[in-house]
Amino acid sequence: MLLALLNACRQQASEQQPGKMAVVISTLNNPWFVVLGESAAQKARELGYEAHIFDSQNNSSKEAEHFDNIIAMGYDAILFNPTDADGSVLNVKRAGNAGIPTFCMDREINSADAAASQLLSDSFTGCVKLGEFFVKQLGKKGEYVEILGLVGDNNTWNRSNGFHSVVDEFPELKMVAQQSADFDRNKAMEVMESVLQAHPSINAVFCGNDAMALGAYQAILAAGKSNQIKVFGFDGSDDALYAIAEGKLAATVMQFPVLMAEQSAELADRYLKGETELSRKMPVEVELVTADNVSDYLPVKK
Amino acid sequence: MNKLTIKQYILKFQSIIALLVMCIAMSFLSDRFLTVENTWNVMRQISVNLIISVGMTLVILTKGIDLSVGSVLAIAGAVTASIVKFGAEIPSMNVYLQFTLVGAIAGGILAGVLLGGFNGLMITRFKVPPFVATLAMLTIARGMTMLWTGGFPITGMTKEMAFIGTGWFLGIPMPVWISAVVVLIAVLVTKRTQLGRHIYAVGGNETAARLSGLKIERIKLIVYSVAGAMAAIAGILVTSRLDSAQPNAGAGYELDSIAAVVIGGTSLSGGKGSVMGTVQGALIIGVLNNGLVLLNVSPFWQQIIKGLVILIAVGIEKINSKEE
């Protein structure tokens, strides 16, 4: 009731001046999230809102400060990419209490009703698809290495678990090492260099994102083993798509940050115009990209 | 004077003993450790940290600190990568410049020198404490890297560029050559030149150094510029090895570098330590990183173990230097 009243007030206010949307992104240190944030802000502007991007720098307390400021400045809606599934819930609730609806993008928060809606990239299912392709490529047997992202990150484990839910069914596929490289290209290269010393005869490496996959590939290339070892990534970054087209990587999972961001902005717009009964959680499809279909996804060369 | 050298020798031996113990333990635990291939591998891997740490050693010898090295590394890598890939355009003059590789590298190093020099200027002119001045530069240079790259990696360099990081010369990997040259020059400067003696003097007792007429501002300015240049060289190396300049390259490298310096026996309170000590520190960290992966130790444990090694290394050294 109170919410509706507040909403009505804001509707009136917004007739005099354009509404404002805040775009809060977990980190801008990674191109994928830059695309997510900028697409969301861009779409919001197209829909006639003022839009500002806030960078949480992967830090939940910085994120909390952003929410305080956003509430104080009277934004109308928040397009939100959380730093942490649990740690971000209170922020979203605080905004909700202040009458500001939040729309989660890509990463979820562990609360059924705090956010107005959540558009989630389905990492787990994506890695199930990748795992199936992985098994086929290796002919159900061989030795492989897994390079994890940040070990404190939800996505790291969603991806790893999705992959293992398939691959662990095949006892002849043996994981000889599991190491972390923090989603970082250089670290992945160094880890891979050392792994290759310990396990020179591996057949494949599965990396939690494309940056690490490309770093691992660089190490494999330097060791002269690029024909022996297949590399699998996740994200669908431009670099990785080119690498697949050139036969360097075997596969990646394409996420659609632009689509996700634009849909979130549209949802927020519809919500502010009175359509408040939205589905709480909407999965956004992810696609397996291999040499067979990479031409459908390649970005136009600049 | 004599006593001090004996002490320095003992300090040197401590790191070497620690390194030997680690290497022996590792070769028992993994038959893959003590191979020619893996030795080059470790040497190549430490070269980036070692180059940064040489600059860091000089800074710490003057009782300073440089937290900005990781970010400076990133911007220098990005500058070099973009010049190699796209050249430079000056639209107002309608000029398009195509750079040679040397030009591109010079551009990257120049960026590092300028940012390091800015650190030095803030510290000497405006009396900003080194911790704060370089902390500010850590975020400024990272932001500049984001602006420069738009947040996207710059990928796909020339073959010549790739040679710097991945090539071999006379049977030794290029990064090892580069770090060896850097170390050699730094050792000569610190041990044999007036500038080197002055660096120790400034860190040992700044007031005394000032009273004896040393140009402290100038020395510090040089030291921070050199630290920036070292970070830049490391950045170019990383970019070359990855065939890509990553906008988030080098994040957290300042910590590995400070760790190498203190494990190598250089005192954070200035005036005491050596470049060769830092070489041993970087080797210890490198062997540790390599060994933990070879043994497939869980990533959770790796972080704890690395922290403990730093504590033990510096703890033992402190006890011994008190007993002296």
Side-chain angles (χ1 to χ4, degrees):
Chain A
M1 187 56 199
L2 189 67
L3 264 177
L5 208 70
L6 273 168
N7 238 332
C9 288
R10 241 192 348 259
Q11 291 278 294
Q12 258 180 352
S14 69
E15 271 162 32
Q16 290 145 10
Q17 58 192 51
K20 290 197 293 185
M21 283 194 196
V23 182
V24 183
I25 300 291
S26 61
T27 173
L28 293 179
N29 260 2
N30 175 327
W32 196 90
F33 290 102
V34 176
V35 169
L36 185 75
E38 286 184 349
S39 313
Q42 178 71 26
K43 189 73 193 175
R45 287 185 196 117
E46 277 170 28
L47 292 165
Y49 295 86
E50 250 180 60
H52 296 281
I53 299 178
F54 298 81
D55 177 6
S56 310
Q57 299 175 1
N58 269 335
N59 179 339
S60 299
S61 62
K62 185 143 276 167
E63 180 180 279
E65 286 167 25
H66 286 327
F67 268 77
D68 288 338
N69 294 335
I70 286 163
I71 292 167
M73 290 188 281
Y75 276 84
D76 298 293
I78 302 171
L79 306 178
F80 181 38
N81 171 241
T83 54
D84 182 74
D86 294 311
S88 302
V89 174
L90 273 179
N91 289 335
V92 176
K93 286 196 169 148
R94 221 147 22 98
N97 289 338
I100 306 174
T102 301
F103 301 81
C104 291
M105 305 184 285
D106 176 46
R107 295 174 168 180
E108 67 183 308
I109 54 167
N110 291 332
S111 163
D113 54 357
S117 186
Q118 305 198 46
L119 277 129
L120 306 173
S121 189
D122 197 341
S123 283
F124 186 90
T125 313
C127 282
V128 168
K129 287 184 191 174
L130 187 78
E132 285 162 355
F133 181 71
F134 181 93
V135 170
K136 235 189 281 169
Q137 283 279 298
L138 269 74
K140 300 183 186 170
K141 64 169 196 258
E143 291 185 339
Y144 70 94
V145 172
E146 179 178 10
I147 300 183
L148 299 163
L150 288 163
V151 286
D153 186 292
N154 252 359
N155 276 324
T156 298
W157 298 110
N158 280 340
R159 291 171 194 180
S160 180
N161 292 339
F163 176 81
H164 284 291
S165 73
V166 178
V167 176
D168 290 0
E169 298 286 308
F170 299 87
E172 285 184 62
L173 280 170
K174 252 184 68 193
M175 182 168 76
V176 292
Q178 185 182 41
Q179 289 292 323
S180 156
D182 302 348
F183 290 127
D184 181 288
R185 190 156 168 162
N186 189 42
K187 277 190 191 144
M189 179 180 62
E190 293 187 352
V191 165
M192 197 63 206
E193 284 171 345
S194 296
V195 164
L196 283 173
Q197 298 298 324
H199 308 285
S201 61
I202 54 166
N203 309 101
V205 48
F206 165 58
C207 300
N209 78 347
D210 283 341
M212 295 194 295
L214 291 161
Y217 174 79
Q218 216 64 40
I220 292 166
L221 183 71
K225 291 180 188 290
S226 53
N227 290 326
Q228 171 200 324
I229 303 172
K230 293 192 165 72
V231 186
F232 298 78
F234 189 102
D235 265 352
S237 72
D238 288 2
D239 276 3
L241 294 175
Y242 288 125
I244 290 174
E246 293 162 15
K248 294 174 176 171
L249 301 192
T252 186
V253 175
M254 184 84 191
Q255 305 191 85
F256 299 96
V258 178
L259 194 71
M260 215 160 13
E262 291 184 348
Q263 285 183 358
S264 300
E266 278 164 10
L267 273 181
D269 178 53
R270 270 159 52 196
Y271 185 96
L272 292 176
K273 287 181 174 145
E275 190 186 327
T276 50
E277 290 305 312
L278 298 171
S279 157
R280 292 287 184 182
K281 247 189 203 184
M282 306 184 204
V284 177
E285 272 297 298
V286 291
E287 289 295 336
L288 181 70
V289 182
T290 66
D292 293 334
N293 63 351
V294 68
S295 53
D296 301 344
Y297 296 99
L298 275 182
V300 188
K301 276 231 181 193
K302 277 171 251 170
Chain B
M1 188 67 199
N2 217 1
K3 203 179 159 196
L4 194 75
T5 12
I6 294 168
K7 200 154 98 184
Q8 275 177 341
Y9 274 119
I10 293 172
L11 289 182
K12 264 186 203 171
F13 279 128
Q14 266 170 12
S15 317
I16 288 181
I17 291 165
L19 190 60
L20 280 179
V21 169
M22 275 175 57
C23 288
I24 292 168
M26 270 308 302
S27 22
F28 275 112
L29 290 169
S30 163
D31 58 349
R32 300 285 177 185
F33 177 73
L34 210 63
T35 62
V36 175
E37 209 179 326
N38 194 48
T39 307
W40 285 134
N41 190 22
V42 172
M43 299 284 287
R44 201 169 43 210
Q45 288 188 353
I46 68 160
S47 53
V48 167
N49 186 25
L50 182 55
I51 293 168
I52 300 172
S53 302
V54 165
M56 186 71 83
T57 307
L58 301 183
V59 167
I60 290 179
L61 280 176
T62 67
K63 207 176 177 177
I65 193 91
D66 189 349
L67 301 177
S68 67
V69 287
S71 304
V72 172
L73 176 152
I75 184 78
V79 166
T80 300
S82 66
I83 298 179
V84 166
K85 205 172 173 198
F86 308 116
E89 227 174 322
I90 309 171
S92 58
M93 289 160 66
N94 206 11
V95 172
Y96 176 79
L97 296 171
Q98 188 87 45
F99 278 82
T100 61
L101 183 61
V102 176
I105 291 171
I109 295 177
L110 183 68
V113 170
L114 287 177
L115 293 178
F118 187 81
N119 277 337
L121 203 67
M122 287 295 121
I123 291 160
T124 53
R125 269 295 129 132
F126 297 95
K127 307 292 173 212
V128 182
F131 190 96
V132 180
T134 59
L135 183 66
M137 183 54 73
L138 178 146
T139 81
I140 293 170
R142 182 65 61 191
M144 289 164 79
T145 314
M146 293 296 158
L147 274 179
W148 188 278
T149 61
F152 288 89
I154 303 171
T155 306
M157 247 69 65
T158 58
K159 270 218 174 71
E160 294 76 38
M161 177 71 183
F163 181 76
I164 300 170
T166 58
W168 294 68
F169 180 65
L170 300 178
I172 294 173
M174 280 301 287
V176 179
W177 277 114
I178 295 170
S179 55
V181 169
V182 163
V183 165
L184 188 70
I185 294 173
V187 168
L188 286 178
V189 168
T190 50
K191 295 286 173 208
R192 294 285 159 82
T193 67
Q194 200 181 30
L195 175 67
R197 283 192 296 278
H198 288 175
I199 288 172
Y200 279 93
V202 168
N205 188 339
E206 190 170 327
T207 321
R210 192 182 298 279
L211 289 175
S212 58
L214 292 192
K215 293 202 176 89
I216 292 172
E217 274 73 27
R218 216 193 83 207
I219 294 164
K220 284 191 177 173
L221 198 62
I222 292 173
V223 163
Y224 282 93
S225 305
V226 168
M230 294 298 137
I233 293 173
I236 294 164
L237 210 53
V238 168
T239 303
S240 161
R241 292 198 69 196
L242 290 172
D243 187 32
S244 171
Q246 299 280 305
N248 59 350
Y253 281 24
E254 63 281 354
L255 300 179
D256 265 354
S257 164
I258 294 169
V261 175
V262 297
I263 290 176
T266 296
S267 162
L268 278 178
S269 41
K272 256 186 280 176
S274 68
V275 172
M276 279 319 284
T278 300
V279 174
Q280 291 151 29
L283 269 168
I284 288 178
I285 294 176
V287 168
L288 197 63
N289 276 336
N290 174 259
L292 292 173
V293 174
L294 282 185
L295 299 177
N296 198 23
V297 175
S298 135
F300 301 112
W301 276 106
Q302 289 188 14
Q303 304 184 14
I304 297 174
I305 294 170
K306 279 181 213 166
L308 288 176
V309 167
I310 295 176
L311 280 181
I312 293 169
V314 178
I316 289 176
E317 182 204 300
K318 285 281 168 207
I319 291 170
N320 281 4
S321 58
K322 258 194 198 130
E323 278 171 1
E324 274 276 309

